[in-house]
């Protein structure tokens, strides 16, 4: 095994260090001898047009294309917008070449298009945007656009559906530059066919202000935009799937989209009780069980959130969910100067049954508290939402963007639970409770942005207004029997109460900014921001009165009324450099805040007023080292002020097991973050790799200061500590090897996280140091149109060391081994899919299963020109699926098992009908 790992490491090192020996140099200009920037230069093999290498011209129109010896005929091509292509053939290339000046002529008008063969450039690079031609990405017929992404090096889609490009998270997916129902793009990925796409663009995500003002993007995330082929941007796309199976499992979904130029109308509907998160796909293997995303979520995974590490066996949606969704999306061009980005109406209705078992060990200086609990419940919710966005161009220099959103939610849930807490095997307290919540939430969020450009390039005046108005009402019925055991005997705290909660929140944000260019590539910006936030929280609690037989006995101790208001004004000064290979921006701002809080708890008035003057800064550097090589460095620092609940010194005893009390002497938390990111993308060698490292330091961090009495009841207040810090690092490597009809992808990944925390528990200080190591390896072997094999391995290892606890360390390891097999038979008419998985956890509490096997299988048949697909699928063949996870924090570790969907068999049929420009597909 060690020899194999060493061999793989040597292979990866050789791939990375290998450099091209030769180069082809030249300079590109137009007929007026003006240099052409960002022209695409690429060398192709003559026999199959496969790419040998590519590059782009710089500001002076110069290029240097690096290559190895080419011993067969090849063709050099140069493409630039609105100019004729250039091509030159070489029989072989065994020495450096200098082509000198090359002039590209203006494109001539071609009357007989049938006589001309047009070849699109397979890849284009323009600063931080990379564009791939969909025609150069080979996917099987009937693939969705998600399959296009999977074939692009550096793109990863995780088990929970999160997409990253060379380690950077994708937060927007657009179709023709506009949202398709939602900006996260899940509906588009899972429903739109790949064969209508012309190209795919990857670029840094821009805010609406950056987009309309023309400023450089400052985000750390990526946006993917799919552009539809103009020939197929006129027509009708339909999908319909229905299925029924054992245990009354069912699924049904439909999508209809009409495209015509800028006009796009889509209607969708879905209903199922198999925890499906999306809408149906025609691919048999991808449609099994919960749909691919939800199905894969049943597998093991490791993730870190803050200083909490989750080790999942199984998982996915907690409980068993029945859901129904219906939606309408419309976008269009409204005249010459108005653009309707999106008009969406959505309604969803869901019911979730849940059940859980938890074992928690709370770490204290001299002993450990062991709490065991079980609960079961049900939640039913309904949501209505309206979302629209419009861009209006008042003139060539002035733009307005308007985007209101309205949502309405209602839900009802109930939960039964029981718990017991022990110290050294002796019972300290136990609780049995029933609770129900009946709630309604409404929110309205309008957003307006105004941008005015001037004749001088880079001079921009902008303003935006963003507000939020929300109200929620919740009736909470709580019935509990709580018993405490100590040396004084037995104490009971039984409750039967109805709490009526009303929360009203509003915020108003306004900002105005002005940008003045200093040079062609630099500018200085001034912005002033104003924010006003107000909130009112009202809680009226009534105990059950045996005399009246109703909840009429007012409980003053648990009732409260809080009003809070925060006004903040923030002047900001920033400087930006935007060059061909370098982006740099720096900003400094001052947050001047005024907080006022008026509250009543247990009949006592609490008034609080705080004023803050807090500085912040932000430094960002983006540098392009070469074609496909980028380096990013971010450093930012800010203050967080405590919440009104943390500052107000009242006692909240609504939870019989935990009492909370605020601390008016809390200081503001200072946070400093440093992040470095590097990636190298080489399309020629089908190779990419990246790594990132981040560091966070917190001063005056707000932590829970908790104490426990002899019966295990907890009292929590808040305090400040300094020195908490975390380091996270990760990297990935991807290499594609192709020969004949075979393709092998090697993709090792690694992530690690270190957290150092100090705080107080049971009145004494403690420190904890936790390490999380998560290596993984993905392999994909594909025989074109016959078979795909995807083995993968994940290891999650965690160890935590403690001081001033009775327990010095906690270790755990989780392993997940998966194998996905897809067989295409009879020219793809039959598709046979299998997914095998094994998960194991080294340390888990007694009563929780440490390992399990998971297997899904399906068989599908396409007929009638592949417009219909019949499927049979078995989810969890071995009936072993489970959801067990371990959570490790700086003060406790916990094992949890949840109700999860188990074995069923389902029969389904799918139908599609595509008609573009009068032609059925």
């Amino acid at each position: 095994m060690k020899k194999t790992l060493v061999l793989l490491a040597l292979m990866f090192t050789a791939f990375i260090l290998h450099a091209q020996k030769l180069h082809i140099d030249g300079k590109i200009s137009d007929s007026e001898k003006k240099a052409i920037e960002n022209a695409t230069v690429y060398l192709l093999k003559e026999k199959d047009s496969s790419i040998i290498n590519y590059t782009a011209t710089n500001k002076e129109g110069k290029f240097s294309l690096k290559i190895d010896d080419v011993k067969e005929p090849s063709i050099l091509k140069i493409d630039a917008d609105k100019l004729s292509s250039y091509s030159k053939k070489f029989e072989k290339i065994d020495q450096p070449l200098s082509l000198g000046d090359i002039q590209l002529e203006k494109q001539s008008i071609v009357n007989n298009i049938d006589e001309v063969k047009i070849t699109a450039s397979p890849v284009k690079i323009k600063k931080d945007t990379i564009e791939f031609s969909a025609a150069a990405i080979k996917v099987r017929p009937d693939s969705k656009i998600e399959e296009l992404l999977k074939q692009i090096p550096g793109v990863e889609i995780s088990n929970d559906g999160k997409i990253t490009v060379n380690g950077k998270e994708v937060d927007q997916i657009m179709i023709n530059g506009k949202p398709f129902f939602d900006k996260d793009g899940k509906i588009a990925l899972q429903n739109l066919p790949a064969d209508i796409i012309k190209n795919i663009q990857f670029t840094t995500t821009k805010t609406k202000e950056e987009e309309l003002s023309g400023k450089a993007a400052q985000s750390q995330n990526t946006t993917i935009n799919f552009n539809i082929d103009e020939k197929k941007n006129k027509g009708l796309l339909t999908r319909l799937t229905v299925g029924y199976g054992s245990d009354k499992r069912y699924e049904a979904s439909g999508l209809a989209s009409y495209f015509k130029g800028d006009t796009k109308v889509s209607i969708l509907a879905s209903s199922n009780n198999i925890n499906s998160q999306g809408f149906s796909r025609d691919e048999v293997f991808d449609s099994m069980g919960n749909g691919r995303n939800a199905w894969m979520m049943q597998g093991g995974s490791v993730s870190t959130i803050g200083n909490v590490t989750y080790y999942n066996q199984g998982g996915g949606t907690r409980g068993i969910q029945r859901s129904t969704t219906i939606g309408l999306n419309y976008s269009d061009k409204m005249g010459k100067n108005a653009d309707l980005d999106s008009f969406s109406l959505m309604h969803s209705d869901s019911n979730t049954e849940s059940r859980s078992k938890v074992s928690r060990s709370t770490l204290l200086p001299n002993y450990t508290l062991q709490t065991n609990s079980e609960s079961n419940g049900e939640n039913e919710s309904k949501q209505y939402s309206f979302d629209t966005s419009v861009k209006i161009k008042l003139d060539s220099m002035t733009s307005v963007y308007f985007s209101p959103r309205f949502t309405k939610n209602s839900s009802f849930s109930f939960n039964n639970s029981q718990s017991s807490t022990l110290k050294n095997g002796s019972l300290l307290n136990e609780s049995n409770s029933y609770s129900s919540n009946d709630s309604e939430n409404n929110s309205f969020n309008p957003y307006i942005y105004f941008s005015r450009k001037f004749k001088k390039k880079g001079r921009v005046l902008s303003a935006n207004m963003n507000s939020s108005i929300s109200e929620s009402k919740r009736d909470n019925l709580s019935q509990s029997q709580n018993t405490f055991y100590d040396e004084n005997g037995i104490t009971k705290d039984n409750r039967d109460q109805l709490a009526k909660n009303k929360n009203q929140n509003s915020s108003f944000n306004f900002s105005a900014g002005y940008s003045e260019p200093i040079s062609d590539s630099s500018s200085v910006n001034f912005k002033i921001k104003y924010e006003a936030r107000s909130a009112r929280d009202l809680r009226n609690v009534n105990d059950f009165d045996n005399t009246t037989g109703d909840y009429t006995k007012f409980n003053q101790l648990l009732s409260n009324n809080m009003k809070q208001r925060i006004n903040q004004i923030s002047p900001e000064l920033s400087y930006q450099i935007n060059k061909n290979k370098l982006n740099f921006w720096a900003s400094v701002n001052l947050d001047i805040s005024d907080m006022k809080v008026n509250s009543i708890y247990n009949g006592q008035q609490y008034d609080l007023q705080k004023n803050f003057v807090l500085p912040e800064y932000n430094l960002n550097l983006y540098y392009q080292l070469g074609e496909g090589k980028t380096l990013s460095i971010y450093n930012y620092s800010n203050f967080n002020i405590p919440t009104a609940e943390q500052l107000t010194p009242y006692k909240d005893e609504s939870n019989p097991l935990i009492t909370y009390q605020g601390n008016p002497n809390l200081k503001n938390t200072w946070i400093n973050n440093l992040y470095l990111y590097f990636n190298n993308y080489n399309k020629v060698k089908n190779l990419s790799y990246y790594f990132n490292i981040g560091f966070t330091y917190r001063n005056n961090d707000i932590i829970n200061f908790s104490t426990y009495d002899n019966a295990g009841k907890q009292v929590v207040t808040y305090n400040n500590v300094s020195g908490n810090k975390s380091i996270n690092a990760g990297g990935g490597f991807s290499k594609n090897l192709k020969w004949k009809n075979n393709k092998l992808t090697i993709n090792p990944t690694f992530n690690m996280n270190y957290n150092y925390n100090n705080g107080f528990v049971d009145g004494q200080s403690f420190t904890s140091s936790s390490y999380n190591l998560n290596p993984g390896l993905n392999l994909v072997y594909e025989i074109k149109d016959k078979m795909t094999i995807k083995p993968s391995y994940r290891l999650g290892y965690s160890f935590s060391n403690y001081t001033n606890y009775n327990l010095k360390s906690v270790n755990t390891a989780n392993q997940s081994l998966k194998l996905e097999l897809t067989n295409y038979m009879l020219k793809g008419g039959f598709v046979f899919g299998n997914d095998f998985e094994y998960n194991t956890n080294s340390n888990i509490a007694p009563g929780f299963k440490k390992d399990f096997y998971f297997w899904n299988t399906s068989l599908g048949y396409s007929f009638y020109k592949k417009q219909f697909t019949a499927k049979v699928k078995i989810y969890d063949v071995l009936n072993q699926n489970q959801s067990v996870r371990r959570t490790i924090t700086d003060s406790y570790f916990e094992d949890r098992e949840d109700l999860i969907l188990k074995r069923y068999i389902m029969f389904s049929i799918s139908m599609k009908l595509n008609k573009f420009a009068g032609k059925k597909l």
Side-chain angles (χ1 to χ4, degrees):
M1 181 67 180
K2 290 183 178 179
K3 291 182 178 180
T4 303
L5 293 175
V6 171
L7 180 60
L8 286 173
L10 290 174
M11 288 173 58
F12 300 153
T13 304
F15 287 141
I16 294 171
L17 297 179
H18 180 70
Q20 290 90 348
K21 303 172 185 176
L22 306 177
H23 55 84
I24 302 175
D25 297 335
K27 182 179 179 181
I28 312 299
S29 60
D30 59 17
S31 57
E32 297 177 355
K33 296 186 178 180
K34 291 182 180 179
I36 300 173
E37 185 182 3
N38 289 320
T40 304
V41 183
Y42 53 102
L43 189 67
L44 305 174
K45 292 181 181 179
E46 185 184 41
K47 65 178 182 181
D48 59 5
S49 296
S50 60
I51 305 172
I52 297 174
N53 203 352
Y54 69 93
T55 188
T57 56
N58 61 18
K59 217 168 189 178
E60 290 77 34
K62 295 179 180 179
F63 70 89
S64 181
L65 181 65
K66 297 177 177 63
I67 57 172
D68 291 321
D69 292 347
V70 181
K71 299 179 181 180
E72 59 182 293
S74 59
I75 299 174
L76 179 74
K77 292 185 69 67
I78 301 172
D79 291 328
D81 289 342
K82 299 180 181 179
L83 296 173
S84 297
S85 296
Y86 169 91
S87 63
K88 184 176 180 65
K89 181 179 177 180
F90 301 94
E91 292 298 327
K92 66 176 182 177
I93 303 176
D94 54 9
Q95 60 183 357
L97 297 174
S98 179
L99 302 182
D101 292 339
I102 300 173
Q103 279 191 1
L104 301 183
E105 302 295 331
K106 289 185 177 180
Q107 288 180 346
S108 57
I109 299 174
V110 180
N111 294 322
N112 190 355
I113 195 68
D114 294 332
E115 296 177 0
V116 180
K117 181 180 179 181
I118 300 175
T119 303
S121 175
V123 62
K124 295 181 181 179
I125 304 173
K126 188 175 182 181
K127 210 161 189 181
D128 66 338
T129 300
I130 299 179
E131 178 183 299
F132 294 90
S133 170
I137 304 172
K138 304 301 180 184
V139 294
R140 59 181 177 267
D142 260 355
S143 293
K144 304 300 180 294
I145 61 175
E146 184 178 38
E147 293 302 313
L148 291 172
L149 289 183
K150 292 179 180 179
Q151 304 303 316
I152 298 176
V155 176
E156 294 183 8
I157 302 177
S158 68
N159 291 346
D160 59 359
K162 185 177 77 172
I163 302 172
T164 57
V165 179
N166 292 326
K168 288 193 173 184
E169 185 173 345
V170 174
D171 62 348
Q172 285 190 157
I173 294 178
M174 303 291 186
I175 304 297
N176 286 353
K178 298 179 179 180
F180 187 75
F181 281 100
D182 51 4
K183 287 186 177 181
D184 65 14
K186 289 182 180 178
I187 295 174
L189 289 176
Q190 298 171 8
N191 289 275
L192 293 182
D195 55 14
I196 69 172
I197 301 301
K198 182 179 181 180
N199 56 56
I200 308 107
Q201 297 169 326
F202 298 86
T203 188
T204 303
T205 299
K206 281 191 171 186
T207 63
K208 191 54 63 176
E209 177 182 356
E210 291 166 342
E211 177 186 328
L212 295 180
S213 65
K215 295 180 181 179
Q218 299 183 14
S219 170
Q220 300 180 37
N221 296 325
T222 297
T223 291
I224 301 176
N225 180 47
F226 293 88
N227 288 310
I228 296 176
D229 191 334
E230 293 179 3
K231 297 177 182 178
K232 297 178 180 178
N233 202 23
K234 182 179 180 181
L236 181 67
L237 166 71
T238 60
R239 293 287 191 274
L240 177 65
T241 296
V242 292
Y244 190 78
S246 60
D247 298 326
K248 297 183 179 180
R249 299 293 168 206
Y250 67 89
E251 64 173 341
S253 63
L255 169 70
S257 290
Y258 171 74
F259 301 87
K260 186 178 181 181
D262 294 313
T263 304
K264 181 173 78 237
V265 183
S266 299
I267 300 174
L268 62 83
S270 172
S271 183
N272 68 84
N273 62 356
I274 54 173
N275 293 4
S276 180
Q277 304 298 310
F279 298 86
S280 76
R281 308 184 192 184
D282 288 322
E283 320 237 357
V284 178
F285 190 64
D286 286 354
S287 298
M288 294 190 51
N290 294 2
R292 185 162 187 80
N293 286 345
W295 175 18
M296 293 300 293
M297 285 173 66
Q298 306 295 334
S301 65
V302 181
S303 61
T304 301
I305 303 174
N307 63 328
V308 183
T309 303
Y310 300 96
Y311 290 90
N312 298 330
Q313 292 187 32
T317 302
R318 289 192 195 178
I320 298 176
Q321 185 181 82
R322 170 191 55 77
S323 62
T324 299
T325 303
I326 185 169
L328 167 70
N329 180 259
Y330 171 62
S331 63
D332 206 347
K333 193 82 173 174
M334 304 171 65
K336 293 182 179 180
N337 300 319
D339 195 354
L340 179 63
D341 270 358
S342 177
F343 178 92
S344 293
L345 296 171
M346 293 285 289
H347 168 64
S348 62
D349 187 347
S350 67
N351 178 279
T352 304
E353 177 189 359
S354 61
R355 186 170 62 247
S356 66
K357 180 175 68 173
V358 178
S359 175
R360 173 181 289 196
S361 297
T362 302
L363 307 176
L364 299 176
N366 300 314
Y367 56 90
T368 297
L369 293 179
Q370 184 67 43
T371 302
N372 300 310
S373 62
E374 293 186 7
S375 66
N376 66 83
E378 192 171 328
N379 177 279
E380 185 165 348
S381 65
K382 294 182 180 181
Q383 177 176 303
Y384 302 86
S385 66
F386 162 76
D387 190 0
T388 188
S389 55
V390 182
K391 285 189 293 189
I392 302 173
K393 204 166 186 178
L394 301 180
D395 56 46
S396 60
M397 309 292 279
T398 310
S399 298
V400 176
Y401 177 81
F402 177 59
S403 177
R405 176 177 174 81
F406 173 78
T407 59
K408 178 181 177 66
N409 295 275
S410 61
S411 67
F412 175 79
S413 65
F414 69 85
N415 185 70
N416 294 286
S417 66
Q418 56 183 19
S419 68
S420 59
T421 300
L422 299 93
K423 172 185 174 182
N424 298 326
S426 298
L427 186 62
L428 292 183
N429 62 65
E430 56 185 343
S431 174
N432 289 279
S433 66
Y434 167 83
S435 65
S436 67
N437 284 282
D438 192 354
S439 64
E440 181 178 312
N441 304 278
N442 299 286
S443 66
F444 177 60
N445 305 87
Y447 173 79
I448 301 176
Y449 175 78
F450 169 85
S451 174
R452 169 68 180 178
K453 297 180 182 179
F454 296 89
K455 290 183 179 180
K456 186 175 182 179
K457 185 179 179 182
R459 181 178 290 170
V460 180
L461 177 67
S462 62
N464 75 70
M465 187 278 291
N466 184 19
S467 62
S468 174
I469 304 170
S470 65
E471 180 181 80
S472 65
K473 298 178 181 179
R474 178 167 57 91
D475 292 347
N476 173 234
L477 175 63
S478 177
Q479 299 171 329
S480 64
Q481 296 80 44
N482 309 283
T483 306
F484 301 90
Y485 306 89
D486 58 21
E487 64 274 8
N488 297 321
I490 300 175
T491 304
K492 291 184 177 292
D493 183 356
N494 297 334
R495 302 186 181 188
D496 187 0
Q497 302 165 334
L498 177 64
K500 290 184 175 291
N501 300 270
K502 184 177 182 179
N503 309 99
Q504 294 175 318
N505 294 274
S506 65
S507 66
F508 174 80
N509 296 268
F510 175 81
S511 69
Y514 175 74
S515 298
E516 178 64 27
I518 299 175
S519 66
D520 290 342
S521 58
S522 64
S523 64
V524 63
N525 311 284
F526 178 75
K527 180 183 287 187
I528 187 77
K529 295 184 288 186
Y530 171 75
E531 180 178 9
R533 302 193 304 269
S534 64
R536 181 181 181 184
D537 300 320
L538 179 65
R539 174 183 168 90
N540 287 324
V541 179
N542 287 278
D543 294 321
F544 186 80
D545 191 335
N546 291 319
T547 304
T548 62
D550 202 353
Y551 293 92
T552 55
K553 190 176 181 180
F554 183 70
N555 188 318
Q556 182 174 278
L557 178 64
L558 299 184
S559 299
N560 55 65
N561 186 350
M562 174 180 282
K563 297 179 182 178
Q564 55 179 308
R565 179 180 58 82
I566 298 177
N567 290 323
Q568 179 176 296
I569 187 168
S570 305
E572 178 184 294
L573 183 66
S574 62
Y575 174 73
Q576 184 168 343
I577 298 176
N578 184 15
K579 292 189 175 183
N580 187 41
K581 291 188 176 182
L582 171 69
N583 273 354
F584 171 79
W585 56 93
S587 67
V588 59
N589 64 284
L590 202 63
D591 291 339
I592 305 169
S593 304
D594 171 47
M595 172 192 282
K596 291 183 179 180
V597 180
N598 305 105
S599 55
I600 299 175
Y601 288 89
N602 194 20
Q604 183 176 348
Q605 179 81 29
Y606 293 90
D607 295 324
L608 179 71
Q609 182 169 356
K610 293 272 188 177
N611 297 311
F612 307 98
V613 180
L614 305 173
E616 297 181 3
Y617 74 84
N618 194 335
L619 296 171
N620 301 270
L621 173 69
Y622 171 90
Y623 186 71
Q624 187 173 348
L625 301 171
E627 290 82 12
K629 295 181 181 179
T630 59
L631 174 68
S632 302
I633 301 174
Y634 305 91
N635 179 230
Y636 53 94
S637 174
N638 65 289
F639 282 88
N640 286 342
I641 64 176
T643 66
E645 289 79 7
Q646 292 172 329
L647 288 168
T648 307
Y650 70 91
K651 285 187 177 182
D652 182 356
E653 298 181 302
S654 56
N655 186 334
L657 301 178
I658 307 175
T659 299
Y660 293 91
Q661 185 172 10
N663 178 4
N665 298 316
L666 287 176
K667 299 177 181 178
N668 304 305
T669 302
W670 179 73
I671 306 171
N672 189 274
N673 295 275
L674 178 65
Y675 178 78
L676 182 145
Y677 171 84
F678 171 81
N679 80 282
N680 182 10
Y681 175 80
N682 192 324
K683 176 67 176 176
V684 179
K685 293 183 173 295
N686 283 317
L687 178 151
S688 66
Y689 60 92
Y690 72 90
F691 68 83
N692 58 70
I693 184 169
F695 174 75
T696 301
Y697 180 84
R698 303 172 70 91
N699 193 57
N700 287 323
D701 206 3
I702 298 175
I703 53 94
N704 288 358
F705 187 97
S706 59
T707 57
Y708 294 80
D709 63 17
N710 293 331
K713 186 173 181 177
Q714 185 180 7
V715 178
V716 176
T717 185
Y718 306 96
N719 211 333
N720 291 113
V721 297
S722 295
N724 288 348
K725 49 186 171 285
S726 65
I727 299 174
N728 58 80
F733 176 92
S734 178
K735 172 64 180 177
N736 289 338
L737 303 172
K738 298 180 181 179
W739 65 100
K740 296 183 180 180
N741 290 326
N742 301 274
K743 178 182 176 182
L744 174 64
T745 301
I746 304 170
N747 176 218
T749 61
F750 178 79
N751 290 283
M752 66 83 62
N753 181 272
Y754 166 75
N755 286 281
Y756 174 84
N757 291 284
N758 66 98
F760 292 88
V761 63
D762 207 16
Q764 298 188 34
S765 64
F766 75 87
T767 62
S768 69
S769 298
S770 62
Y771 303 82
N772 306 293
L773 306 175
N774 307 304
L777 177 63
N778 300 306
L779 299 173
V780 180
Y781 175 66
E782 181 180 348
I783 303 176
K784 188 176 180 181
D785 299 329
K786 291 184 179 180
M787 177 184 294
T788 301
I789 304 174
K790 296 182 180 180
S792 64
Y793 174 75
R794 293 285 185 277
L795 171 64
Y797 181 68
S798 172
F799 55 97
S800 300
N801 299 319
Y802 304 100
T803 62
N804 288 351
Y805 278 150
N806 70 311
L807 188 64
K808 298 300 181 184
S809 64
V810 176
N811 302 320
T812 188
N814 173 279
Q815 298 181 74
S816 177
L817 181 63
K818 300 179 183 179
L819 178 63
E820 298 177 37
L821 299 173
T822 309
N823 298 87
Y824 306 94
M825 300 171 288
L826 299 178
K827 297 182 178 181
F830 281 93
V831 180
F832 183 44
N834 286 278
D835 183 5
F836 305 93
E837 183 178 337
Y838 174 70
N839 282 270
T840 182
N841 196 315
S842 63
N843 292 320
I844 207 84
F848 296 86
K849 191 175 181 182
K850 293 186 176 183
D851 60 357
F852 76 100
Y853 295 90
F854 186 56
W855 175 23
N856 298 315
T857 187
S858 72
L859 179 65
Y861 173 65
S862 297
F863 57 98
Y864 196 67
K865 299 180 181 180
K866 295 190 176 181
Q867 293 189 38
F868 290 85
T869 301
K871 313 169 189 176
V872 57
K873 48 199 174 186
I874 306 175
Y875 177 83
D876 187 20
V877 176
L878 303 176
N879 203 31
Q880 288 196 16
N881 191 29
Q882 65 177 17
S883 170
V884 176
R885 68 175 186 171
R886 165 157 285 198
T887 304
I888 301 176
T889 74
D890 54 13
S891 59
Y892 70 86
F893 60 94
E894 175 183 282
D895 297 316
R896 180 187 181 103
E897 180 177 1
D898 289 286
L899 174 68
I900 199 168
L901 193 64
K902 302 195 78 169
R903 181 172 59 194
Y904 66 84
I905 183 171
M906 181 171 288
F907 300 88
S908 64
I909 189 165
S910 301
M911 181 200 74
K912 69 169 187 175
L913 177 62
N914 300 336
K915 188 177 182 181
F916 300 113
K919 181 180 179 181
K920 289 186 179 181
L921 298 175

